[in-house]
Amino acid sequence: MNIRVQKLFEAIFTLEDMREIYRGSIPTGLDKGEETAFDEKIAELKAIIGELEENKGTARITKIAGTLDIRSREEECINIQPIQAAGRLTPEARKAIATYGDGYSTCDACRKPFRLDKITKPGIADFHADLAEYVHMDVARVVPGARRGFQAVAQSLVGKGDSVIVSALAHYTEFLAVEGAGGIVKEVPLDGKNLITPDATATKVEEVIRETRKTPALVMMDHVDYQNANVHDIAGIAKVAHQYDIPILYNGAYTVGIMPVDGKALGVDFVVGSGHKSMASVAPSGVLATTDEWAGKVLNTTAMIGDLTKRKFGIKEVQMLGCTLMGGTLLSMMASFPAVKERTLHWDDEVKRSNYFIEKLLSISGSKVLSEYPRKHTLTKVDTTGSFDTVAKTHKRRGFFLSDELSSRGIIGEFAGATRTWKLNTYGLREKQVHYLADTFIEIAERYELPIIG
Amino acid sequence: MNIRVQKLFEAIFTLEDMREIYRGSIPTGLDKGEETAFDEKIAELKAIIGELEENKGTARITKIAGTLDIRSREEECINIQPIQAAGRLTPEARKAIATYGDGYSTCDACRKPFRLDKITKPGIADFHADLAEYVHMDVARVVPGARRGFQAVAQSLVGKGDSVIVSALAHYTEFLAVEGAGGIVKEVPLDGKNLITPDATATKVEEVIRETRKTPALVMMDHVDYQNANVHDIAGIAKVAHQYDIPILYNGAYTVGIMPVDGKALGVDFVVGSGHKSMASVAPSGVLATTDEWAGKVLNTTAMIGDLTKRKFGIKEVQMLGCTLMGGTLLSMMASFPAVKERTLHWDDEVKRSNYFIEKLLSISGSKVLSEYPRKHTLTKVDTTGSFDTVAKTHKRRGFFLSDELSSRGIIGEFAGATRTWKLNTYGLREKQVHYLADTFIEIAERYELPIIG
């Protein structure tokens, strides 16, 4: 590991040990033994800072809890892993979990009516309002991942045997949410451009009605699919859904938190986003937003009464199971949120950088892009069967040659060994990082004498 | 804030800013501007460390992301909040989330068959095996909170209109899980000692069968209830459940992670624990463990097939919704786990300290303990109507006088304003902290001339 990065972690770890001394003390102050331990830790810390400053030294700490490696790939490398890019924490989120990591750290000031989204200190109630506004819906809840948002909606709206319209590229978690509710997925086919069209959706709805003699209970549609990251016409699809009086859930796992999302303008009934995928948050986290019209149905409060005690927990929402994200996950979302709102305004720049890279990749003869192009997103599926795979065919490391070449240059997150079709994500990379990334691919191509076009 | 604690946080925050410089750099190293920024941060860090060492200075940083206060109550105070005690992170967990906080940080080495519990680097697969062994069950999964464990089981076993036997002190999340599945809770009454007995459970089962003409689908029982933290006879209750062929879920939110739990010896079919309540983990986290007999039912893999694409996601578990805790939550559980296993061995000492404090509290004339006594747990419900509430009656701050007195002495986590019945938890406090806590209550009592007995 880069010695300065190593020392940054060691300094953080030493500070955590110092916090622990305070945690074991009494409020009147440290005792002699604690003072001594604290002084020793200060000395250690100063030595680490010295090494940090001089950019030398060796690793003092290599494992956490005896087994876990220090994860330094984000500091040391450029990470193009398809699903990790927009879930990387902001520094503010990292600071927030340093102080709010403890289990129920959100609950210090929980007062009547005892529900997470009502807590005002820290400003969780305001955050919920901000979240709803951010996706332009009436009401929002935080959930343990987008999938738990799908589940909440499916459990509320989908009955046994009901059909749910999804994309032919629907994420597996949509399948599972529908299955858990007892429903059946019905996939809308893609057109020649790998897009779900409103027309195809209408045709599918008609087909399902004809076959099952029942209107589908729900449409669940990915604005940006996880395979090609193409941008589908959600507004048009929503119109179709509503023509049949079917509510529509917008899967924004690849949009909410990185690009502007206006649920009202799109005409959708539910907006679901992922904290750990696109909102720079600790997993599992996410958002479920809806309209006033649907809130009563999906965010219904409990009606269960203890048969014996007559106990009621009236304010608790059944699908949320009461409180959802009671600590570090939520606080990371909240701490990242100002940066998330800001970065949403610069989505165009992200797309530009994505296209910059893809253009360079396409200049390596034989390379193709399988996603729509020019790109409208930072996640892209590429096909290098005609370029890097031709090298892999005869290389003793096979497809891993590319991983080797990339990782030796500090690029990680490609699917190790894959040289045919694979995905990458440039989200969040700075200008110079994207240039470095593109240059590296060109350099590797040149090394293996793959022709460069133009 | 204590200036040294303040400086510890400032140092951590500064180090996070320094990490961020690396995150924005290219793998060949920092550029001039980044070097300058890094040097400035080193200087800042050294100044902070200087202040830390000299134990002086003023706060440089007071808010995270502009709005969030630094949460330093665990460093500065003794926290007796009933639900927070055993969810406080270990230093190892704090170190783990510092490096594994990023959204999908678990997924670096996710390979076929692409499921969280199969990942070997970090050692998530082994951790799952360890977890199952820890509660002596056959198989374990991590879940986003104990409530999601209840939900998974209820969704799998409880049909519309089915009865579920619960305690008259069942936690509200059990109500919600049953309600979400379409079931109805049926409460077993407490005996004169506020305990659920096997006999009362049998009587209730009989009653439900008579009334509904159907055997209840599930028994869900809290080993330690959230109200009095009394220890109920789960082994006996499990025997009763099985006499009627009803599976039993063991709610270990207040046991798993702090006291030894042997699911096989208890004869239960499901063990559910809470990471953020009792396993020193980031929320939402928890564990659902079961037997080989029940695993196929509750951890069933998806059978849904895309009608058009014929897609199948065979290995994904429906109730888990695929992967559950993809990052910091899980890594905090894993990093705390060695300490959690170790502390479980010393549960007797925790109970001793709990009894030490309660004994002292009871020496304040008029104080009562509503939980079973001597205590078998560290969470306790007390009644100070006859002691501190007599002061509150005439004090201008009413019940808040006690909060004022406690917080001015560094004790927090009591329910602010409550001087009649309230709960506290001494879990995790060291010997000297428990002594300080007890002494403080006595001191306050003496100040208000409440008689001390013995």
Side-chain angles (χ1 to χ4, degrees), chain A residues 65-96:
Chain A
T67 54
L68 299 171
D69 290 324
I70 297 173
R71 184 178 186 270
S72 60
R73 52 205 284 128
E74 300 293 354
E75 285 74 18
E76 300 200 89
C77 306
I78 289 177
N79 184 5
I80 56 172
Q81 213 271 3
I83 64 172
Q84 290 180 339
R88 276 187 289 254
L89 300 187
T90 60
E92 296 307 301
R94 295 201 300 274
K95 295 170 192 175

Side-chain angles (χ1 to χ4, degrees), chain A residues 161-165 184-189 202-216 244, chain B residues 305-308 310:
Chain A
D162 283 354
S163 300
V164 176
I165 302 290
I184 298 159
V185 294
K186 300 288 182 182
E187 299 169 297
V188 182
T203 305
K204 186 74 185 194
V205 171
E206 289 285 354
E207 198 181 300
V208 170
I209 293 173
R210 215 165 38 238
E211 259 177 36
T212 67
R213 296 182 188 191
K214 203 174 168 192
T215 304
Y244 293 92
Chain B
I305 302 173
D307 65 326
L308 180 76
K310 307 300 172 199

